[in-house]
Amino acid sequence: MATKRVLLKEKRKSNKQNGKPSKLSFTKLEARAETLHKRHCRRLILKPLKMPKSKRNTVISLTKVKKKLNKKEMKNVKLTELKKMIEIPNIYIYVLDVRTHSNNNLKNAIEYFKTSGGKFFIGKNKLMQLALGSSNKSEVKPNVSKISQLLVGNRILLITKDAPLRVIKFFNEYQPDEYIKHGNISTQDVTLKCGDILKVPVSMQKDLQKRRVNFDIVDEKIILRENKVLAEKNKLVSIENAKLLRMLNMKIAKFDIAVLGYWYFNNFVSLMHK
């Protein structure tokens, strides 16, 4: 046993001299590595400490944003605005019947009357009737209740200082082309003939099939197999045909807003044809 110990000591010495690590040093290194690894894992598991929030650390918005109004507040704003407009001296209140319109063309009309201080009131008829008064007892001014009685369906108000001649002339002359809406009466016949090439992409073939259009695709072109009637003169246009006309970019209607009557200085004048 003693000889073995001596031999081991000599071997270790020779290994140290030659630069070779001993078995004992390897085991120590492994143990040391394990302990370091465990400590590192513990540090990762532990959550980092958070500093307390400073009371001075507050966010200050540099832009002012208007608070969104709820439905009740919006109603009150519209009511007060309409009542204020009525109180302006030498003001005209026009009732307009909106028959055919697009948002862009209506915006142009709004901008036209905006220059002279005119304003359109588009919204719920009941709200406008409430502001004007629907009867002789509740009316804000004499005979203004006759205006509120005309507020039925798709009708709007125009309050301006412009005289009737200027307003009526504008709506008679301003008639750009429009897409016809379903339920409107067509002023012309529109028929797609057999063999016509539709100026629509091939990707729209499913939409055409839904609307019962029979066609063939030849060289990535949609060619009709049979005639297709889209509109007849003095007849109502269906929903499907109105969509087809829009799809084919066919504007067969005109921007149409008619003046039904107006109120001025406690008097009401009707422009409706009996």
Side-chain angles (χ1 to χ4, degrees):
M1 288 292 287
T3 53
K4 277 184 180 180
R5 283 175 187 172
V6 171
L7 285 166
L8 280 165
K9 281 179 182 179
E10 285 177 1
K11 202 174 184 181
R12 282 171 192 166
K13 281 179 184 179
S14 63
N15 285 337
K16 280 179 183 179
Q17 285 171 4
N18 295 329
K20 291 179 181 179
S22 62
K23 284 184 182 179
L24 190 68
S25 63
F26 270 122
T27 52
K28 279 183 178 179
L29 283 167
E30 283 174 2
R32 181 70 178 159
E34 278 180 10
T35 52
L36 286 168
H37 181 68
K38 283 176 183 178
R39 282 178 190 174
H40 183 65
C41 289
R42 281 175 192 170
R43 282 175 189 172
L44 289 171
I45 291 161
L46 288 167
K47 290 180 181 179
L49 292 167
K50 286 184 179 180
M51 291 292 288
K53 284 184 179 180
S54 175
K55 289 180 181 179
R56 288 179 290 179
N57 188 17
T58 54
V59 179
I60 300 163
S61 60
L62 299 172
T63 55
K64 288 183 179 180
V65 182
K66 286 183 180 179
K67 191 183 176 183
K68 284 186 178 180
L69 301 172
N70 56 32
K71 285 183 179 180
K72 242 187 180 180
E73 288 171 338
M74 283 288 286
K75 280 181 182 179
N76 292 331
V77 168
K78 282 184 179 179
L79 277 167
T80 50
E81 197 176 3
L82 187 52
K83 283 176 180 178
K84 277 182 183 178
M85 287 291 287
I86 296 161
E87 293 300 323
I88 297 167
N90 301 322
I91 205 85
Y92 288 88
I93 304 171
Y94 295 93
V95 185
L96 307 176
D97 186 23
V98 182
R99 292 163 186 171
T100 309
H101 80 288
S102 65
N103 290 334
N104 289 332
N105 289 329
L106 188 60
K107 278 178 185 177
N108 293 336
I110 290 164
E111 288 297 321
Y112 177 79
F113 288 102
K114 202 175 183 179
T115 54
S116 58
K119 187 156 188 179
F120 283 81
F121 285 89
I122 304 161
K124 290 185 177 180
N125 294 332
K126 284 183 180 179
L127 189 70
M128 291 189 279
Q129 285 170 354
L130 187 68
L132 298 170
S134 55
S135 63
N136 294 330
K137 290 179 181 179
S138 61
E139 63 186 6
V140 180
K141 287 192 175 184
N143 294 319
V144 82
S145 60
K146 290 177 181 178
I147 290 283
S148 60
Q149 286 168 13
L150 292 174
L151 289 169
V152 181
N154 197 18
R155 289 175 184 177
I156 60 175
L157 289 178
L158 168 61
I159 300 174
T160 179
K161 284 187 177 181
D162 292 325
L165 188 67
R166 187 170 185 259
V167 175
I168 294 161
K169 190 183 177 184
F170 172 80
F171 286 112
N172 285 342
E173 290 177 357
Y174 183 67
Q175 292 183 345
D177 293 331
E178 291 275 2
Y179 293 111
I180 197 164
K181 293 184 178 180
H182 71 274
N184 287 3
I185 296 166
S186 177
T187 55
Q188 56 183 292
D189 294 320
V190 181
T191 306
L192 300 174
K193 292 181 181 179
C194 180
D196 285 353
I197 298 167
L198 300 182
K199 293 178 182 179
V200 290
V202 181
S203 58
M204 293 179 78
Q205 58 181 307
K206 286 184 179 179
D207 296 317
L208 293 168
Q209 284 168 355
K210 281 179 186 177
R211 286 157 184 86
R212 297 175 184 178
V213 180
N214 295 322
F215 59 89
D216 291 316
I217 298 169
V218 181
D219 296 330
E220 294 187 358
K221 290 177 182 178
I222 295 170
I223 301 165
L224 290 173
R225 284 185 200 166
E226 58 185 16
N227 293 351
K228 177 70 177 175
V229 178
L230 297 180
E232 291 180 82
K233 196 176 180 179
N234 299 326
K235 286 188 178 180
L236 296 171
V237 178
S238 65
I239 298 169
E240 297 301 322
N241 286 345
K243 285 179 181 177
L244 270 171
L245 287 162
R246 184 178 279 271
M247 200 186 294
L248 298 167
N249 197 24
M250 297 174 79
K251 294 180 178 181
I252 62 166
K254 296 281 183 185
F255 179 79
D256 188 12
I257 291 179
V259 182
L260 301 179
Y262 64 91
W263 177 93
Y264 176 70
F265 200 66
N266 300 338
N267 292 315
F268 173 75
V269 178
S270 177
L271 300 173
M272 294 173 75
H273 299 290
K274 292 181 181 179

